[in-house]
Amino acid sequence: MFNNIRRRLAVLPLLSTAAFAGDPATPAAIITPSASGFDLTKFINAAEVNYVGSFDMDFDNSVGNLDTHAFQASAFLSKPIQFAGDWQFIPQFSYEAMLMSTNGPIPSLILRDEDLHELEFSFYFVRMKDTSPWVYTAWLNPSLATDFQGVNGHDIFVDAAGAVGYQVNDHLLLGAGVAGLNLTGDINIVGGPGFAWQPNDQTLIALYGPNFKASYDVSPKWRVGFEVRPNGGIWNIDTAIGDANIDYSNYRAGLTSSHNIAGDLWLSYGAGMTFGGEINVTTMEGSKPFQNQLDDLESGLYGFVGLDLKSW
């Protein structure tokens, strides 16, 4: 089980096997090195807004539970920009408001109801050739993750990663990536494999890092699926003991459905269970003074709804 998983790590190895192109002027379509017809746009959006609610996650070590409400928005800021020969550069902006609320006798010194915010500028670098099955990708992600109470250098986080992918045939892509998370603080190195398998035009199954997704097109305007993906993040907050990082992570597994509203605009929603949850408050010195009250979270329920724009 990966800890401290940043939300944007989810896209890494898949980007190594598919990056924006087809028509490079449109950050809507996804291509593979041989342009075999993989339709990975099912999993990657030019822009999106989402709400994700996670509920009734009981504390293992305390009486009480945690609910979270995440409001997310992201968009690629331009078409892929060509540089240094075969390399392409793609910038992305993301914002998330994470609202945490606790129920039960959790002492306010440990964890209050928190309004947390994260602003991210992600930079993707992709190298590919039409004549080669290999794709190389790098990723840099500086962010401001804070409760906006006394913002300082501790609220700035930097993640970076690299990945490589190989197209085996017209139906299978393989990749792997490694990432360094929280490079400005307590560094965490994680890695993971990735693949995308499209046995037919209606079905796509992919594993990329800690994400697993499977989708089936019931019709051109209705897609159903199953997902397992990480949730959470790390933020710097002001507490009664000074600056500290609040680290919340879990996985969610559930069913999804997407419906084409008009043009490239889709409505997506789904629900399921959370599992493998953790939450801790860590001081700037690296200690977790409240770990015996916080730490593990039991399974809960989650639901999400969002609007996805496949292209501009």
Side-chain angles (χ1 to χ4, degrees):
M1 191 73 67
F2 294 126
N3 295 322
N4 306 327
I5 294 177
R6 306 288 289 180
R7 184 165 49 87
R8 287 297 160 192
L9 179 62
V11 300
L12 290 178
L14 188 59
L15 277 175
S16 71
T17 55
F20 287 98
D23 174 3
T26 309
I30 305 294
I31 68 160
T32 63
S34 64
S36 65
F38 268 88
D39 184 13
L40 296 171
T41 57
K42 298 175 182 180
F43 294 158
I44 302 178
N45 303 310
E48 61 185 30
V49 292
N50 298 293
Y51 163 77
V52 183
S54 302
F55 310 100
D56 294 328
M57 296 174 289
D58 291 335
F59 292 95
D60 272 356
N61 297 342
S62 301
V63 176
N65 59 60
L66 174 71
D67 294 339
T68 66
H69 305 272
F71 300 88
Q72 304 163 349
S74 66
F76 286 94
L77 300 179
S78 77
K79 65 184 181 181
I81 301 167
Q82 202 82 20
F83 75 101
D86 299 316
W87 282 92
Q88 296 182 74
F89 162 68
I90 313 160
Q92 183 188 46
F93 173 76
S94 303
Y95 169 74
E96 178 183 53
M98 175 69 76
L99 311 181
M100 295 184 176
S101 60
T102 57
N103 302 293
I106 303 297
S108 60
L109 174 66
I110 300 174
L111 185 66
R112 304 164 295 177
D113 289 350
E114 300 286 350
D115 295 347
L116 307 172
H117 306 268
E118 184 169 24
L119 297 158
E120 293 182 337
F121 283 96
S122 295
F123 303 97
Y124 300 94
F125 302 88
V126 181
R127 182 180 184 270
M128 63 174 63
K129 290 183 178 181
D130 290 340
T131 57
S132 171
W134 290 97
V135 183
Y136 304 93
T137 300
W139 175 73
L140 181 65
N141 186 71
S143 64
L144 177 70
T146 179
D147 61 357
F148 283 122
Q149 303 294 319
V151 176
N152 56 42
H154 294 152
D155 299 76
I156 297 174
F157 297 83
V158 178
D159 308 320
V164 62
Y166 182 83
Q167 181 172 350
V168 178
N169 54 45
D170 287 349
H171 301 282
L172 180 64
L173 301 169
L174 298 178
V178 62
L181 310 180
N182 194 16
L183 298 181
T184 55
D186 185 14
I187 299 175
N188 189 20
I189 304 297
V190 298
F195 74 83
W197 178 47
Q198 185 170 328
N200 54 56
D201 291 341
Q202 291 77 38
T203 306
L204 180 59
I205 300 171
L207 172 72
Y208 40 112
N211 267 345
F212 175 82
K213 289 190 176 184
S215 74
Y216 178 78
D217 292 345
V218 179
S219 74
K221 292 182 176 292
W222 181 24
R223 179 175 302 134
V224 296
F226 173 76
E227 67 172 8
V228 179
R229 60 181 300 175
N231 193 41
I234 182 171
W235 302 263
N236 186 257
I237 61 173
D238 274 356
T239 72
I241 58 172
D243 264 9
N245 288 338
I246 182 169
D247 183 357
Y248 159 64
S249 64
N250 62 20
Y251 286 83
R252 65 187 206 228
L255 300 176
T256 65
S257 184
S258 297
H259 300 265
N260 181 240
I261 299 175
D264 292 314
L265 185 64
W266 289 69
L267 171 68
S268 298
Y269 54 88
M273 298 287 296
T274 66
F275 65 96
E278 294 182 1
I279 187 168
N280 269 299
V281 174
T282 306
T283 68
M284 293 298 96
E285 291 73 35
S287 65
K288 298 179 180 180
F290 308 119
Q291 189 171 12
N292 60 337
Q293 286 100 348
L294 299 177
D295 209 17
D296 293 338
L297 294 168
E298 295 182 4
S299 297
L301 302 173
Y302 86 90
F304 80 91
V305 63
L307 290 174
D308 306 327
L309 188 63
K310 295 300 181 182
S311 66
W312 293 321

